Amino acid sequence: MENKEYKSGFVSIVGRPNVGKSTLLNRILNEKIVAVSDKPQTTRNTIRGIYSDEGGQVVFLDTPGIHEAKTRLNRSMVDAAYASLSGIDLLLLVVDATAPREDQFIRNVAAKAGCPVFLVLNKVDLVEPRERLLAVMAGLSSLHRFAEIVPISAHTGSNVERLLNLVRERLPEGIAYFPDDILTDQPEKVVCAELIREKVFRLTNAEVPYGTAVVVESFQERPSGVIAINATIMVERDGQKGIIIGKKGALLKKIGEQARRDIERLLGTRVYLELYVKVQERWTEKTAILRELGYE
Ligand SMILES: Nc1nc2c(ncn2[C@@H]2O[C@H](COP(=O)(O)OP(=O)(O)OP(=O)(O)O)[C@@H](O)[C@H]2O)c(=O)[nH]1
Ligand SMILES: [Mg+2]
Protein backbone atom coordinates (compact mmCIF):
# COMPACT_ATOMS: atom_id res chain seq x y z
CA MET A 1 0.00 0.00 0.00
CA GLU A 2 1.31 3.43 -0.87
CA ASN A 3 1.89 5.71 2.08
CA LYS A 4 1.02 9.29 1.16
CA GLU A 5 3.49 11.78 2.56
CA TYR A 6 2.48 13.83 5.59
CA LYS A 7 2.51 17.54 4.76
CA SER A 8 2.67 20.41 7.20
CA GLY A 9 3.46 24.09 7.40
CA PHE A 10 2.64 27.59 8.52
CA VAL A 11 0.18 29.76 6.62
CA SER A 12 -0.49 33.42 7.43
CA ILE A 13 -3.85 35.04 6.80
CA VAL A 14 -3.20 38.74 6.19
CA GLY A 15 -5.16 41.70 4.81
CA ARG A 16 -6.98 44.94 5.55
CA PRO A 17 -9.29 45.07 8.58
CA ASN A 18 -12.76 43.60 8.19
CA VAL A 19 -12.09 41.59 5.02
CA GLY A 20 -13.05 38.33 6.77
CA LYS A 21 -9.73 36.77 7.88
CA SER A 22 -11.02 35.53 11.21
CA THR A 23 -14.28 34.32 9.67
CA LEU A 24 -12.17 32.25 7.26
CA LEU A 25 -10.15 30.68 10.08
CA ASN A 26 -13.28 29.76 12.03
CA ARG A 27 -14.79 28.33 8.85
CA ILE A 28 -11.74 26.18 8.11
CA LEU A 29 -11.64 24.86 11.67
CA ASN A 30 -15.41 24.47 11.77
CA GLU A 31 -15.41 26.03 15.23
CA LYS A 32 -15.45 29.55 16.58
CA ILE A 33 -12.07 30.14 18.21
CA VAL A 34 -11.41 33.72 17.09
CA ALA A 35 -13.48 36.87 17.42
CA VAL A 36 -15.42 38.13 14.41
CA SER A 37 -17.40 41.36 14.16
CA ASP A 38 -18.58 43.87 11.59
CA LYS A 39 -16.18 46.45 13.06
CA PRO A 40 -12.64 46.85 11.77
CA GLN A 41 -9.71 45.98 14.07
CA THR A 42 -11.50 43.16 15.83
CA THR A 43 -8.41 40.92 15.89
CA ARG A 44 -5.64 42.31 18.10
CA ASN A 45 -2.89 39.74 18.05
CA THR A 46 -1.78 36.81 15.95
CA ILE A 47 -3.66 33.66 16.84
CA ARG A 48 -2.71 30.22 15.60
CA GLY A 49 -5.47 27.94 14.39
CA ILE A 50 -4.46 24.35 13.73
CA TYR A 51 -6.07 22.16 11.09
CA SER A 52 -5.07 18.49 11.32
CA ASP A 53 -6.07 15.31 9.57
CA GLU A 54 -4.38 12.08 8.50
CA GLY A 55 -2.76 13.79 5.52
CA GLY A 56 -1.06 16.59 7.41
CA GLN A 57 -1.29 19.70 9.53
CA VAL A 58 -1.75 23.33 8.58
CA VAL A 59 -0.94 25.95 11.19
CA PHE A 60 -2.88 29.09 10.22
CA LEU A 61 -1.97 32.48 11.66
CA ASP A 62 -4.94 34.84 11.93
CA THR A 63 -3.55 38.37 12.12
CA PRO A 64 -4.85 41.88 12.88
CA GLY A 65 -5.93 43.90 9.83
CA ILE A 66 -3.24 46.19 8.46
CA HIS A 67 -4.28 49.85 8.83
CA GLU A 68 -2.96 53.32 9.62
CA ALA A 69 -2.16 52.83 13.28
CA LYS A 70 -2.35 55.71 15.74
CA THR A 71 -2.39 54.33 19.27
CA ARG A 72 0.27 52.12 20.76
CA LEU A 73 -2.13 49.18 20.79
CA ASN A 74 -2.86 49.68 17.09
CA ARG A 75 0.82 49.91 16.23
CA SER A 76 1.43 46.60 17.98
CA MET A 77 -1.43 45.10 16.01
CA VAL A 78 -0.02 46.16 12.66
CA ASP A 79 3.51 45.09 13.67
CA ALA A 80 2.11 41.65 14.52
CA ALA A 81 0.53 41.35 11.09
CA TYR A 82 3.78 42.26 9.29
CA ALA A 83 5.82 39.98 11.57
CA SER A 84 3.63 37.08 10.49
CA LEU A 85 4.97 37.41 6.94
CA SER A 86 8.29 35.82 7.76
CA GLY A 87 9.00 32.19 8.48
CA ILE A 88 5.87 30.94 6.77
CA ASP A 89 5.33 28.49 3.93
CA LEU A 90 2.42 30.26 2.30
CA LEU A 91 0.59 33.57 2.54
CA LEU A 92 -3.15 33.99 2.14
CA LEU A 93 -3.64 37.63 1.22
CA VAL A 94 -7.33 38.25 1.78
CA VAL A 95 -9.16 40.96 -0.13
CA ASP A 96 -12.80 42.00 0.07
CA ALA A 97 -14.17 41.21 -3.39
CA THR A 98 -16.75 43.96 -3.05
CA ALA A 99 -14.07 46.65 -2.58
CA PRO A 100 -10.86 45.41 -4.15
CA ARG A 101 -9.27 48.75 -5.13
CA GLU A 102 -6.05 48.62 -3.13
CA ASP A 103 -3.43 47.85 -5.74
CA GLN A 104 -0.45 49.34 -3.95
CA PHE A 105 -1.28 47.69 -0.65
CA ILE A 106 -1.70 44.30 -2.31
CA ARG A 107 1.58 44.68 -4.20
CA ASN A 108 3.48 45.75 -1.08
CA VAL A 109 2.28 42.97 1.16
CA ALA A 110 2.73 40.29 -1.49
CA ALA A 111 6.26 41.52 -2.17
CA LYS A 112 7.18 41.38 1.53
CA ALA A 113 6.34 37.69 1.78
CA GLY A 114 9.24 35.40 0.96
CA CYS A 115 6.90 32.58 -0.02
CA PRO A 116 4.13 31.81 -2.51
CA VAL A 117 1.07 34.03 -2.14
CA PHE A 118 -2.56 33.11 -2.72
CA LEU A 119 -4.85 36.02 -3.39
CA VAL A 120 -8.07 35.14 -1.60
CA LEU A 121 -11.07 37.10 -2.79
CA ASN A 122 -13.58 36.90 0.01
CA LYS A 123 -17.26 37.85 0.28
CA VAL A 124 -18.06 36.70 -3.24
CA ASP A 125 -21.59 36.00 -2.01
CA LEU A 126 -22.04 39.76 -2.22
CA VAL A 127 -20.74 40.08 -5.77
CA GLU A 128 -23.23 39.90 -8.64
CA PRO A 129 -23.15 39.13 -11.47
CA ARG A 130 -20.43 36.53 -11.97
CA GLU A 131 -18.86 38.56 -14.80
CA ARG A 132 -18.08 41.27 -12.29
CA LEU A 133 -16.15 38.82 -10.15
CA LEU A 134 -14.20 37.60 -13.16
CA ALA A 135 -13.35 41.19 -14.04
CA VAL A 136 -12.12 41.85 -10.49
CA MET A 137 -9.97 38.71 -10.58
CA ALA A 138 -8.50 39.67 -13.92
CA GLY A 139 -7.72 43.19 -12.66
CA LEU A 140 -5.88 41.95 -9.58
CA SER A 141 -3.97 39.17 -11.29
CA SER A 142 -1.38 41.58 -12.71
CA LEU A 143 -0.33 42.93 -9.29
CA HIS A 144 1.89 40.00 -8.32
CA ARG A 145 2.75 36.52 -9.53
CA PHE A 146 0.13 34.96 -7.31
CA ALA A 147 0.43 31.19 -6.97
CA GLU A 148 -3.39 31.05 -6.98
CA ILE A 149 -6.32 33.43 -7.05
CA VAL A 150 -9.18 31.88 -5.14
CA PRO A 151 -12.65 33.41 -4.83
CA ILE A 152 -14.43 32.28 -1.66
CA SER A 153 -17.13 33.14 0.78
CA ALA A 154 -15.94 32.55 4.32
CA HIS A 155 -19.47 33.39 5.41
CA THR A 156 -21.30 30.71 3.38
CA GLY A 157 -18.30 28.37 3.13
CA SER A 158 -18.39 28.45 -0.65
CA ASN A 159 -15.09 27.27 -2.18
CA VAL A 160 -13.35 27.15 1.21
CA GLU A 161 -12.70 23.43 0.92
CA ARG A 162 -11.06 23.98 -2.44
CA LEU A 163 -8.90 26.70 -0.90
CA LEU A 164 -7.89 24.33 1.89
CA ASN A 165 -6.96 21.64 -0.65
CA LEU A 166 -4.86 24.11 -2.63
CA VAL A 167 -3.12 25.19 0.57
CA ARG A 168 -2.30 21.63 1.53
CA GLU A 169 -0.90 20.80 -1.89
CA ARG A 170 1.60 23.65 -1.49
CA LEU A 171 2.97 22.57 1.87
CA PRO A 172 6.21 20.65 2.20
CA GLU A 173 6.54 17.20 3.65
CA GLY A 174 6.90 17.65 7.38
CA ILE A 175 6.03 16.78 10.91
CA ALA A 176 3.05 17.63 13.11
CA TYR A 177 4.01 20.80 14.96
CA PHE A 178 1.18 20.47 17.45
CA PRO A 179 -0.87 17.60 18.87
CA ASP A 180 -3.49 16.70 16.27
CA ASP A 181 -6.43 17.13 18.64
CA ILE A 182 -6.04 20.84 19.44
CA LEU A 183 -7.52 23.70 17.41
CA THR A 184 -5.28 26.43 18.77
CA ASP A 185 -2.22 26.78 20.96
CA GLN A 186 -3.97 29.51 22.94
CA PRO A 187 -4.95 28.49 26.47
CA GLU A 188 -8.71 27.95 26.91
CA LYS A 189 -8.78 30.98 29.19
CA VAL A 190 -7.55 33.21 26.40
CA VAL A 191 -9.98 31.82 23.82
CA CYS A 192 -12.83 32.43 26.28
CA ALA A 193 -11.66 36.00 26.86
CA GLU A 194 -11.71 36.54 23.09
CA LEU A 195 -15.25 35.22 22.77
CA ILE A 196 -16.37 37.63 25.50
CA ARG A 197 -14.56 40.51 23.80
CA GLU A 198 -16.29 39.60 20.56
CA LYS A 199 -19.66 40.21 22.21
CA VAL A 200 -18.51 43.63 23.40
CA PHE A 201 -17.46 44.40 19.81
CA ARG A 202 -20.80 43.26 18.49
CA LEU A 203 -23.02 44.92 21.07
CA THR A 204 -21.35 48.31 21.56
CA ASN A 205 -20.51 51.14 19.19
CA ALA A 206 -18.31 54.16 18.52
CA GLU A 207 -15.12 54.16 20.62
CA VAL A 208 -16.34 51.72 23.29
CA PRO A 209 -15.15 48.44 21.71
CA TYR A 210 -11.73 49.94 21.03
CA GLY A 211 -11.25 50.86 24.68
CA THR A 212 -12.15 47.39 25.86
CA ALA A 213 -10.08 44.35 26.76
CA VAL A 214 -11.10 41.15 28.54
CA VAL A 215 -9.15 39.10 31.05
CA VAL A 216 -10.31 35.74 32.39
CA GLU A 217 -9.34 35.84 36.05
CA SER A 218 -10.32 32.31 36.98
CA PHE A 219 -11.36 29.18 35.15
CA GLN A 220 -12.35 26.24 37.29
CA GLU A 221 -14.00 22.94 36.64
CA ARG A 222 -16.37 22.04 39.47
CA PRO A 223 -17.01 18.45 40.55
CA SER A 224 -20.40 18.66 38.78
CA GLY A 225 -18.53 19.20 35.49
CA VAL A 226 -19.68 22.81 35.18
CA ILE A 227 -16.89 25.23 34.34
CA ALA A 228 -16.97 28.43 36.38
CA ILE A 229 -15.37 31.42 34.71
CA ASN A 230 -14.79 34.86 36.20
CA ALA A 231 -13.77 37.53 33.73
CA THR A 232 -13.09 41.24 33.87
CA ILE A 233 -13.98 43.62 31.07
CA MET A 234 -11.48 46.44 31.18
CA VAL A 235 -12.48 49.86 29.87
CA GLU A 236 -10.68 53.21 29.70
CA ARG A 237 -13.30 55.49 31.22
CA ASP A 238 -16.21 55.60 33.65
CA GLY A 239 -18.60 56.49 30.84
CA GLN A 240 -17.62 53.35 28.96
CA LYS A 241 -18.21 51.32 32.09
CA GLY A 242 -21.74 52.68 32.28
CA ILE A 243 -22.39 51.84 28.65
CA ILE A 244 -21.15 48.28 28.99
CA ILE A 245 -23.21 47.65 32.10
CA GLY A 246 -26.27 49.24 30.49
CA LYS A 247 -29.62 50.13 32.00
CA LYS A 248 -30.12 48.01 35.12
CA GLY A 249 -27.24 45.81 33.94
CA ALA A 250 -29.09 44.81 30.78
CA LEU A 251 -26.20 45.02 28.33
CA LEU A 252 -23.69 43.25 30.58
CA LYS A 253 -26.25 40.49 31.01
CA LYS A 254 -26.65 40.18 27.25
CA ILE A 255 -22.88 40.10 26.71
CA GLY A 256 -22.62 37.38 29.36
CA GLU A 257 -25.44 35.27 27.93
CA GLN A 258 -24.16 35.37 24.37
CA ALA A 259 -20.56 34.70 25.41
CA ARG A 260 -21.62 31.82 27.65
CA ARG A 261 -23.44 30.16 24.78
CA ASP A 262 -20.36 30.33 22.54
CA ILE A 263 -18.07 29.10 25.31
CA GLU A 264 -20.39 26.20 26.14
CA ARG A 265 -20.43 25.16 22.49
CA LEU A 266 -16.63 25.33 22.32
CA LEU A 267 -15.94 23.49 25.57
CA GLY A 268 -18.85 21.06 25.22
CA THR A 269 -19.90 21.53 28.81
CA ARG A 270 -22.07 23.80 30.92
CA VAL A 271 -20.52 27.10 31.88
CA TYR A 272 -21.18 29.52 34.69
CA LEU A 273 -19.88 32.92 33.61
CA GLU A 274 -19.51 35.93 35.85
CA LEU A 275 -18.46 39.28 34.38
CA TYR A 276 -17.05 42.38 36.08
CA VAL A 277 -16.26 45.76 34.56
CA LYS A 278 -13.20 47.73 35.64
CA VAL A 279 -11.85 51.13 34.61
CA GLN A 280 -8.16 51.18 33.74
CA GLU A 281 -7.28 54.59 32.37
CA ARG A 282 -5.44 54.78 29.06
CA TRP A 283 -4.55 51.10 29.10
CA THR A 284 -4.22 51.15 25.28
CA GLU A 285 -1.05 53.24 25.70
CA LYS A 286 0.53 51.29 28.57
CA THR A 287 3.22 48.81 27.66
CA ALA A 288 2.95 46.70 30.81
CA ILE A 289 -0.77 46.18 30.34
CA LEU A 290 -0.44 45.54 26.61
CA ARG A 291 2.16 42.86 27.39
CA GLU A 292 -0.01 41.28 30.03
CA LEU A 293 -2.85 41.10 27.52
CA GLY A 294 -0.54 39.48 24.99
CA TYR A 295 -0.80 42.43 22.59
CA GLU A 296 2.90 43.30 22.60
N1 LIG B 1 -21.23 38.60 3.26
C1 LIG B 1 -20.08 38.16 3.79
N2 LIG B 1 -19.63 38.69 4.94
C2 LIG B 1 -18.47 38.21 5.43
C3 LIG B 1 -17.72 37.21 4.79
N3 LIG B 1 -16.62 36.96 5.53
C4 LIG B 1 -16.68 37.78 6.58
N4 LIG B 1 -17.80 38.54 6.54
C5 LIG B 1 -18.21 39.57 7.51
O1 LIG B 1 -17.24 40.59 7.49
C6 LIG B 1 -17.08 41.15 8.80
C7 LIG B 1 -15.63 41.11 9.23
O2 LIG B 1 -15.24 39.76 9.44
P1 LIG B 1 -13.93 39.39 10.30
O3 LIG B 1 -13.70 37.93 10.09
O4 LIG B 1 -14.05 39.89 11.70
O5 LIG B 1 -12.84 40.24 9.52
P2 LIG B 1 -11.26 40.35 9.82
O6 LIG B 1 -10.58 40.45 8.51
O7 LIG B 1 -10.82 39.26 10.72
O8 LIG B 1 -11.21 41.76 10.55
P3 LIG B 1 -10.08 42.34 11.59
O9 LIG B 1 -9.85 41.31 12.64
O10 LIG B 1 -10.73 43.56 12.13
O11 LIG B 1 -8.87 42.63 10.76
C8 LIG B 1 -18.01 40.35 9.70
O12 LIG B 1 -19.23 41.06 9.85
C9 LIG B 1 -18.22 39.06 8.95
O13 LIG B 1 -19.45 38.43 9.24
C10 LIG B 1 -18.23 36.67 3.56
O14 LIG B 1 -17.67 35.78 2.92
N5 LIG B 1 -19.40 37.20 3.11
MG1 LIG C 1 -9.98 39.30 12.57
Side-chain angles (χ1 to χ4, degrees):
M1 225 170 60
E2 194 189 335
N3 222 347
K4 268 187 116 185
E5 59 185 22
Y6 189 92
K7 291 183 159 193
S8 63
F10 289 80
V11 178
S12 259
I13 308 174
V14 169
R16 286 293 197 204
N18 221 32
V19 295
K21 302 178 294 299
S22 301
T23 307
L24 173 60
L25 179 63
N26 287 337
R27 171 65 65 183
I28 289 171
L29 298 179
N30 214 5
E31 196 85 63
K32 186 192 273 187
I33 64 152
V34 288
V36 165
S37 88
D38 61 0
K39 300 186 180 66
Q41 295 150 36
T42 301
T43 303
R44 288 189 176 154
N45 53 355
T46 300
I47 296 173
R48 291 192 195 89
I50 303 154
Y51 177 92
S52 310
D53 66 12
E54 62 285 351
Q57 184 170 76
V58 193
V59 183
F60 289 97
L61 287 76
D62 178 27
T63 66
I66 296 174
H67 62 283
E68 299 292 326
K70 296 208 174 71
T71 67
R72 182 160 193 132
L73 167 62
N74 286 58
R75 281 197 301 275
S76 303
M77 286 160 58
V78 173
D79 288 350
Y82 279 118
S84 82
L85 294 176
S86 57
I88 53 172
D89 298 286
L90 181 67
L91 173 65
L92 303 186
L93 177 44
V94 183
V95 173
D96 182 339
T98 65
R101 296 167 297 275
E102 292 227 55
D103 295 10
Q104 203 49 47
F105 171 76
I106 293 170
R107 262 199 209 102
N108 286 346
V109 174
K112 277 196 168 77
C115 64
V117 182
F118 286 7
L119 185 70
V120 177
L121 271 174
N122 190 32
K123 307 197 186 183
V124 299
D125 54 297
L126 300 177
V127 182
E128 295 273 3
R130 194 167 166 74
E131 289 70 40
R132 213 177 110 209
L133 179 63
L134 295 175
V136 169
M137 287 171 71
L140 296 175
S141 64
S142 62
L143 298 178
H144 181 84
R145 285 175 64 100
F146 295 111
E148 297 282 352
I149 300 182
V150 194
I152 64 159
S153 169
H155 181 64
T156 67
S158 164
N159 225 20
V160 171
E161 198 172 325
R162 186 176 122 78
L163 171 64
L164 183 59
N165 287 334
L166 291 168
V167 166
R168 299 172 64 195
E169 280 168 19
R170 287 275 161 178
L171 296 185
E173 200 177 337
I175 55 156
Y177 294 97
F178 293 93
D180 63 7
D181 59 348
I182 63 168
L183 291 174
T184 177
D185 61 342
Q186 302 264 98
E188 276 171 337
K189 265 171 99 163
V190 177
V191 178
C192 293
E194 282 291 281
L195 295 178
I196 298 165
R197 194 172 62 79
E198 178 192 85
K199 303 308 171 228
V200 177
F201 259 69
R202 291 183 174 203
L203 296 170
T204 65
N205 289 305
E207 89 295 349
V208 179
Y210 301 105
T212 305
V214 176
V215 180
V216 168
E217 315 277 0
S218 72
F219 184 104
Q220 278 172 336
E221 185 164 357
R222 295 192 175 156
S224 61
V226 173
I227 293 181
I229 299 172
N230 287 348
T232 300
I233 300 176
M234 196 160 56
V235 293
E236 289 196 297
R237 287 194 294 279
D238 260 335
Q240 296 171 338
K241 180 173 172 176
I243 290 169
I244 294 214
I245 292 173
K247 255 199 192 129
K248 293 189 180 156
L251 188 59
L252 190 62
K253 191 167 166 219
K254 198 166 172 185
I255 292 168
E257 279 170 2
Q258 293 191 7
R260 177 177 53 76
R261 251 178 266 138
D262 274 5
I263 296 170
E264 285 183 336
R265 199 172 307 134
L266 183 72
L267 301 178
T269 178
R270 279 192 49 222
V271 166
Y272 177 75
L273 176 63
E274 187 130 19
L275 297 177
Y276 309 89
V277 186
K278 183 177 128 190
V279 178
Q280 177 86 58
E281 277 175 28
R282 285 170 51 81
W283 68 263
T284 53
E285 297 291 346
K286 290 179 179 160
T287 315
I289 297 178
L290 293 175
R291 285 218 182 108
E292 209 169 297
L293 291 166
Y295 295 155
E296 253 193 10

